[in-house]
Amino acid sequence: MPLLFLLRLKHTLLPVRVALPEEVRIVSVLVATGLIEAEFAPVRPAGRDTASRIATVKRITEEGLAELAQMSDAPKFVKTSMQFARGLRLM
């Protein structure tokens, strides 16, 4: 999931703010692995569902760009399906 988020960031104009809690966690993972640079700021809670932090993604690092390059070099899998007894299919 973090690599898919990194791919999304590649196609986004940076800097960008991230407020959804699950995305802020992904940003923290990407920062910890050195793939992006970001700043975190606390948010005053206005309600129970309010995010506790906001992340501002500044840039994708050289390591992050290298990881994205590896992702684009990965072989593309052909979509196949398997036929089972009684006409059931797995896709």
Side-chain angles (χ1 to χ4, degrees):
M1 183 87 147
L3 292 179
L4 293 177
F5 190 81
L6 181 63
L7 188 59
R8 276 181 45 203
L9 288 174
K10 178 184 176 184
H11 300 289
T12 304
L13 184 62
L14 299 177
V16 66
R17 291 181 128 186
V18 179
L20 294 175
E22 59 272 5
E23 290 183 346
V24 172
R25 281 190 291 275
I26 291 171
V27 169
S28 67
V29 168
L30 291 172
V31 168
T33 56
L35 300 179
I36 64 171
E37 289 181 5
E39 294 178 354
F40 296 91
V43 175
R44 288 188 215 166
R48 199 170 80 179
D49 297 332
T50 305
S52 59
R53 293 191 307 172
I54 289 181
T56 303
V57 179
K58 299 291 186 182
R59 72 180 193 94
I60 299 174
T61 64
E62 296 300 321
E63 293 84 5
L65 294 173
E67 189 67 35
L68 288 168
Q70 285 181 355
M71 288 174 59
S72 65
D73 290 343
K76 305 292 185 224
F77 293 100
V78 177
K79 184 176 179 182
T80 60
S81 63
M82 297 172 61
Q83 190 76 31
F84 293 99
R86 299 185 189 185
L88 298 175
R89 293 168 42 116
L90 176 64
M91 299 182 98

